[in-house]
Amino acid sequence: MAEVTFDYQNLMEVEGGLQSGELDEIQQRLREAADELLGDPPGFMRLPKTAEYAEASARVAEEIRTSGAADFIHVGIGGSALGPMALHKALSHPYYNALSGETRRGPRLHFAENTDPATLSAILDVADPDGTWVNVVTKSGSTAETMANFLVIRGVLVDSLGDFGFQGRTIATTDPEEGFLKQIADREDLEVLPIPPDVGGRFSVLTPVGLLPAAVTGLDVAALLAGAAQCVDEVNEQGAEHPAAVGAAMHYLMDTARGRNVRVMMTYADALERLAAWFVQLWAESLGKDGKGSTPHGAVGTTDQHSQVQLYMQGPQDKVIEIVEVENHPRDLPIPGVYGDLEGVGYLGGHTMAELLNVECDATRRALTEAGRPNSTITLGELNEENLGYLFQALEVQTAIAGVLYGVNAFDQPGVEAGKQITYKRMGRPGY
Ligand code: PA5
């Protein structure tokens, strides 16, 4: 069973927080929003119970691992990269690529996301083409950044392995029916993993977009899906009472009724830093429309206590802080008891690093609450696949319901088109 809890008490019982009457007033709309989601569930709701994507990903991952692959380059951007990055950072060793081949659970993993040539050159510096596999991930099949990264990597692989070798080491994760990448895959006989047409990029972490890199690096894909499935079952049972739905109403009200239009996700584990980045995209791209939406922002505790917490405590009253904490950290270290005569140092001895992290998390929560700064907390019992799966699904549900409350389409992103058109024109794409 996944162990993920949501605590909204400090959004209610804090100066500047919500009144229970406000929540009562929105109950009817929240019920309707939850009914809308459950009555005609968007594609992402069926993913946790769809075995075919996990099976296909496991089959390809096995092929890659048994080929003796040394490097696996995941090429993608936005929703085609942030979910897999969040999973990898949360559940793999922080220096995964630096571990020996025997210690790692699969090939080294590289993400080619931006078009910064320094990053791609660096990946190509370390990835030996003879042992490299590439996974090109784009639902539309024509995202300029992804295709440019792919074309450069393709050139290197063809030079080293020849056309046939390149084809045997390249996977196209894309719409199964259409798009230019699908055309290339058909033409060059590449392995194709599907991104279901009814699942948008930022909701696609539980499709092969996230499942293949997870399986390649030895994560437990079945547990990931089981956690997400538990969330779906609970949302089906509880509807508007489910904490993900309640959170949608709370954050919507904080923005629209309280003017708190910045939502900070502050994760008290370095491993969750990319989870916040994934959530920032999910919330921003889904809800930022028609002049509506609150601005998501990622922060890491304790690090950002020494950077941003001053602003959160005493700056403008425009924020809601959402703490994500981990009860039992995967590793811990005792702090040695030395310098007992120095009262500003010696007191740390006998405690542990995880204890200090969690005490600082609680201290920040209390300080925010006492200062009249509304905050909420998501607690993960442990950092594991099941809990991550539950959390991904819950935050997607919350975002979809918030979309109904805001009255925007959470599943499109028309605002990014204008820049794309100008880029196409400047880069000479025919027809632009
Ligand atoms: O969430 C989204 O739909 C976007 O962020 C896309 O994932 C991103 O633009 C990349 O698109 P594609 O997968 O088509 O390359």
Side-chain angles (χ1 to χ4, degrees), residues 75-82 137-147 173-174 195 199-204 209 281-282 285-286 410-413 416-417 420:
V75 185
I77 197 164
S80 289
L82 288 161
V137 186
T138 165
K139 184 175 176 201
S140 63
S142 56
T143 297
E145 294 89 336
T146 301
M147 296 317 281
T173 303
T174 191
I195 306 178
V199 178
R202 55 195 175 274
F203 292 85
S204 70
V209 171
Q281 186 223 2
L282 180 70
E285 206 165 77
S286 300
F411 304 107
D412 67 2
Q413 53 282 330
V416 300
E417 279 309 312
K420 282 190 193 171

Side-chain angles (χ1 to χ4, degrees), residues 105-336:
R105 296 166 299 195
R108 293 184 293 191
L109 174 58
H110 313 277
F111 290 99
E113 186 188 19
N114 198 357
T115 54
D116 186 333
T119 307
L120 183 55
S121 302
I123 293 173
L124 295 172
D125 283 344
V126 298
D128 174 3
D130 286 341
T132 294
W133 284 68
V134 59
N135 179 27
V136 195
V137 186
T138 165
K139 184 175 176 201
S140 63
S142 56
T143 297
E145 294 89 336
T146 301
M147 296 317 281
N149 273 313
F150 165 57
L151 294 177
V152 173
I153 297 167
R154 182 189 185 283
V156 171
L157 292 186
V158 169
D159 281 352
S160 176
L161 307 171
D163 285 334
F164 186 67
F166 149 76
Q167 287 162 15
R169 301 275 191 77
T170 302
I171 299 136
T173 303
T174 191
D175 187 294
E177 302 297 336
E178 54 187 43
F180 291 109
L181 181 58
K182 178 68 172 64
Q183 286 185 36
I184 292 170
D186 289 345
R187 194 184 290 179
E188 301 199 327
D189 199 21
L190 306 180
E191 177 95 59
V192 174
L193 284 175
I195 306 178
D198 62 346
V199 178
R202 55 195 175 274
F203 292 85
S204 70
V205 60
L206 300 180
T207 72
V209 171
L211 300 184
L212 178 63
V216 165
T217 51
L219 299 184
D220 186 344
V221 164
L224 182 71
L225 293 177
Q230 181 186 330
C231 177
V232 168
D233 287 343
E234 290 177 8
V235 170
N236 276 321
E237 276 163 35
Q238 298 166 26
E241 311 288 323
H242 188 276
V246 175
M250 294 261 190
H251 286 286
Y252 168 75
L253 284 175
M254 275 293 177
D255 173 23
T256 57
R258 284 282 175 282
R260 292 184 177 277
N261 58 11
V262 181
R263 176 177 178 172
V264 178
M265 179 175 275
M266 188 166 188
T267 59
Y268 272 81
D270 291 340
L272 294 175
E273 182 263 338
R274 287 286 94 189
L275 176 89
W278 168 84
F279 177 70
V280 163
Q281 186 223 2
L282 180 70
W283 191 259
E285 206 165 77
S286 300
L287 305 177
K289 288 155 201 172
D290 305 338
K292 300 175 188 170
S294 60
T295 301
H297 176 75
V300 174
T302 64
T303 309
D304 287 321
Q305 287 176 209
H306 301 269
S307 164
Q308 299 175 34
V309 164
Q310 170 62 39
L311 176 76
Y312 302 166
M313 289 287 289
Q314 297 184 337
Q317 284 278 21
D318 60 355
K319 295 175 198 60
V320 182
I321 315 300
E322 179 165 61
I323 288 169
V324 185
E325 68 181 5
V326 178
E327 241 164 20
N328 298 306
H329 289 270
R331 301 179 82 172
D332 199 0
L333 291 167
I335 304 175

